[in-house]
Amino acid sequence: MSKRTVIAMSINFRRIRKCRCVQLLTTGLVLCMLMVCWEDLDHHVVSHMRSYSYRYLINRYDFLNSTLTISSNHRGREDGTSSARDSLQSYRYLINHPGKCRGGPRKDRDDVLLLLFVKSSPENFKRRQAIRKTWGNESFAWSELGVSVRLLFAMGIHPDVSQRFQMQDALWQEDQAYRDLIQQNFLDTFHNLTAKLIMQFHWNQMYCPQARFLMTADDDIFVHMPNLVKYLQHALRSQSGAKDLWVGHIHKGAPPVRRKNSKYYVPYDLYPWPSYPDYTAGAGYVVSEDVATKIYQATLVLNSSLYIDDVFMGMCAKAMGLSPQEHVYFSGEGKAPYHSCIYDHMITSHGHTTDVHSLWREAISSTASGNSRGFLRNMYCTAMRVIILCRPYFQNTYSCAAAFT
Ligand SMILES: *[C@@H]1O[C@H](CO)[C@@H](O)[C@H](O)[C@H]1NC(C)=O
Ligand SMILES: *[C@@H]1O[C@H](CO)[C@@H](O)[C@H](O)[C@H]1NC(C)=O
Ligand SMILES: *[C@@H]1O[C@H](CO)[C@@H](O)[C@H](O)[C@H]1NC(C)=O
Ligand SMILES: *[C@@H]1O[C@H](CO)[C@@H](O)[C@H](O)[C@H]1NC(C)=O
């Protein structure tokens, strides 16, 4: 070996070492940064990763429904355990309208397009008023959209005994005026939401099985009724004829919350697995007639002690072999951005109590002018939606994909 090659080699080695050093340093730096951020990342990311992989198992196999099924010797027995059948027997109606789906503008029994349940609470009178005057207005749906919508507010009794009687009086008066409340004899609390859900599906089965679609919604959401009706009519005309439809904003592989101080805390003995089956956010989702019947059947055999109503609905659906469909313009949490290009497509938006009226005016006027939409307007709106919805690091109500519909 000549002296020159030796020198050349040692230079090469030095270069390699230098590269390694830089590599090591950057790796170290990145790790350090990660460690600093880990505190925040840790819980969220790890639990989501775990639940997301588990989601596959939950959605694919049926161990979930078999472990949650009430053994047949328990069913309907008056032993204090919570099965839906027990609650069906024990919670009686205090306010009811069995004839709600009969008659109507056309005196036609079979024409209900949408049975609309709004989950309300006795004290939320103002919210109900706002809904009646805006997106829940049955006459508007009939005269302007040409379809029959039936609106019912579902609730229990006021949990505070000292206010209950006065509240109940007010409710009876309200119901005299509007005839759109249904109420069962359970405490209207967060942990009784599943009882409210069961009430809706049982009411549908009992009094309005002919409704083509059933929607369940919170009383603080906004529903763009013209867009929703258009969507449902389109579904009815489609090939499948609106069978198997369960649509909303989907929570995929959501992990149960195990922090005891959380509102959504669920102990292991109530739900032992690290992931819920896919389900639609309870803020607002729609099911077709056949799905509503299947959910009803599931509520008869599943243990209903899981008190988060939309998760329980997901478990019922899972047990019946149903899976949800994502619609980019159903919102989970969060308000729709205020823009006419969004109003063209939006279906639901969450968190509205004071601005329902202004949104409704926008919805009606954009529907009225929506027919004159041309190529340029479409281009403009797609661009606007990309700007509004596709900002990085900004969690939007609707996903970026919604910009391109
Ligand atoms: C409901 O809509 C009808 C028809 O558009 C309208 O005449 C009526 O005033 C509305 N009702 C309320 C309470 O706003
Ligand atoms: C649900 O309602 C029932 C009947 O009123 C009541 O006994 C029970 O305590 C309520 N559960 C919760 C968690 O509020
Ligand atoms: C339902 O599940 C709860 C919690 O796991 C349990 O305590 C209860 O006994 C079950 N009820 C029935 C009827 O199986
Ligand atoms: C579980 O779900 C499957 C469909 O996914 C269904 O065929 C089966 O009957 C269900 N099992 C029970 C015990 O409900």
Side-chain angles (χ1 to χ4, degrees):
M1 221 187 277
S2 73
K3 204 174 176 185
R4 216 192 267 161
T5 34
V6 169
I7 290 171
M9 272 175 74
S10 72
I11 288 172
N12 262 350
F13 270 129
R14 230 178 270 156
R15 215 176 261 160
I16 288 167
R17 279 217 198 99
K18 216 175 188 176
C19 274
R20 280 261 169 83
C21 266
V22 171
Q23 231 173 31
L24 267 176
L25 266 174
T26 25
T27 317
L29 207 74
V30 167
L31 274 179
C32 277
M33 303 242 305
L34 258 180
M35 300 270 247
V36 171
C37 305
W38 197 246
E39 286 281 277
D40 304 322
L41 275 176
D42 179 33
H43 195 73
H44 213 66
V45 170
V46 171
S47 72
H48 263 87
M49 262 159 50
R50 202 166 51 130
S51 76
Y52 218 80
S53 28
Y54 212 84
R55 164 182 174 240
Y56 171 77
L57 297 176
I58 291 274
N59 287 330
R60 192 170 169 89
Y61 298 102
D62 59 5
F63 56 86
L64 189 144
N65 63 351
S66 49
T67 33
L68 291 174
T69 305
I70 311 158
S71 58
S72 55
N73 54 347
H74 263 101
R75 280 180 214 164
R77 218 205 270 166
E78 294 288 323
D79 58 359
T81 51
S82 57
S83 80
R85 189 162 290 186
D86 289 347
S87 62
L88 176 67
Q89 283 167 356
S90 53
Y91 297 139
R92 65 192 168 80
Y93 283 101
L94 299 174
I95 304 178
N96 193 10
H97 295 283
K100 179 82 184 180
C101 283
R102 288 197 291 271
R106 219 162 57 184
K107 299 275 172 267
D108 180 349
R109 212 185 121 69
D110 290 313
D111 69 340
V112 179
L113 178 76
L114 178 65
L115 176 60
L116 178 55
F117 286 110
V118 177
K119 297 175 268 182
S120 195
S121 296
E123 65 276 16
N124 291 351
F125 172 71
K126 274 194 182 144
R127 293 186 186 180
R128 289 193 290 277
Q129 268 317 69
I131 292 170
R132 285 178 184 122
K133 286 184 183 158
T134 58
W135 55 270
N137 182 345
E138 293 176 356
S139 319
F140 178 87
W142 181 250
S143 65
E144 304 299 319
L145 307 173
V147 295
S148 167
V149 172
R150 302 299 153 92
L151 167 73
L152 284 169
F153 294 98
M155 64 186 78
I157 55 176
H158 200 283
D160 182 352
V161 189
S162 65
Q163 290 182 49
R164 190 175 304 158
F165 295 100
Q166 203 187 355
M167 193 58 82
Q168 203 56 34
D169 250 3
L171 282 181
W172 272 315
Q173 278 178 25
E174 182 185 341
D175 188 60
Q176 280 296 305
Y178 301 104
R179 314 200 62 77
D180 58 5
L181 306 184
I182 57 171
Q183 183 191 37
Q184 273 185 346
N185 188 19
F186 57 83
L187 299 187
D188 199 304
T189 58
F190 178 75
H191 287 93
N192 265 338
L193 271 176
T194 293
K196 206 178 272 183
L197 176 95
I198 289 169
M199 166 163 76
Q200 296 163 56
F201 280 89
H202 284 231
W203 195 95
N204 170 62
Q205 201 58 30
M206 189 90 84
Y207 304 115
C208 199
Q210 77 275 20
R212 296 303 189 89
F213 300 98
L214 179 156
M215 178 173 198
T216 167
D218 283 350
D219 63 1
D220 60 347
I221 74 165
F222 176 78
V223 179
H224 195 301
M225 199 48 86
N227 287 352
L228 176 63
V229 165
K230 221 185 296 171
Y231 171 74
L232 296 180
Q233 285 175 325
H234 182 75
L236 275 182
R237 282 195 304 269
S238 73
Q239 291 228 305
S240 59
K243 289 261 172 296
D244 267 351
L245 184 80
W246 168 29
V247 66
H249 175 86
I250 305 179
H251 289 299
K252 294 192 182 102
V257 176
R258 306 298 191 189
R259 274 174 291 117
K260 283 220 169 76
N261 55 2
S262 165
K263 183 180 168 187
Y264 298 100
Y265 167 69
V266 167
Y268 284 94
D269 55 352
L270 216 50
Y271 192 89
W273 301 288
S275 154
Y276 292 133
D278 289 0
Y279 67 95
T280 48
Y285 55 87
V286 177
V287 298
S288 56
E289 194 179 342
D290 57 319
V291 171
T293 303
K294 286 180 183 165
I295 300 298
Y296 162 78
Q297 286 161 351
T299 63
L300 298 176
V301 293
L302 289 192
N303 184 334
S304 62
S305 48
L306 195 99
Y307 37 72
I308 306 178
D309 62 334
D310 44 10
V311 172
F312 178 70
M313 151 73 188
M315 287 171 9
C316 289
K318 174 70 191 69
M320 303 307 285
L322 301 162
S323 43
Q325 266 174 49
E326 175 83 21
H327 188 302
V328 283
Y329 280 105
F330 275 77
S331 120
E333 295 95 38
K335 290 186 182 192
Y338 295 94
H339 197 282
S340 67
C341 292
I342 300 284
Y343 301 144
D344 286 353
H345 295 278
M346 68 179 277
I347 307 262
T348 74
S349 173
H350 191 232
H352 298 277
T353 47
T354 51
D355 54 357
V356 176
H357 291 279
S358 56
L359 268 172
W360 181 242
R361 277 194 296 276
E362 287 282 349
I364 296 176
S365 67
S366 78
T367 308
S369 64
N371 297 332
S372 61
R373 226 180 300 147
F375 176 72
L376 277 181
R377 159 102 181 145
N378 270 338
M379 292 276 287
Y380 164 74
C381 271
T382 305
M384 280 318 289
R385 285 197 298 267
V386 168
I387 292 169
I388 297 169
L389 299 177
C390 300
R391 268 181 287 174
Y393 313 115
F394 189 72
Q395 190 68 40
N396 244 310
T397 319
Y398 306 126
S399 67
C400 178
F404 302 98
T405 53

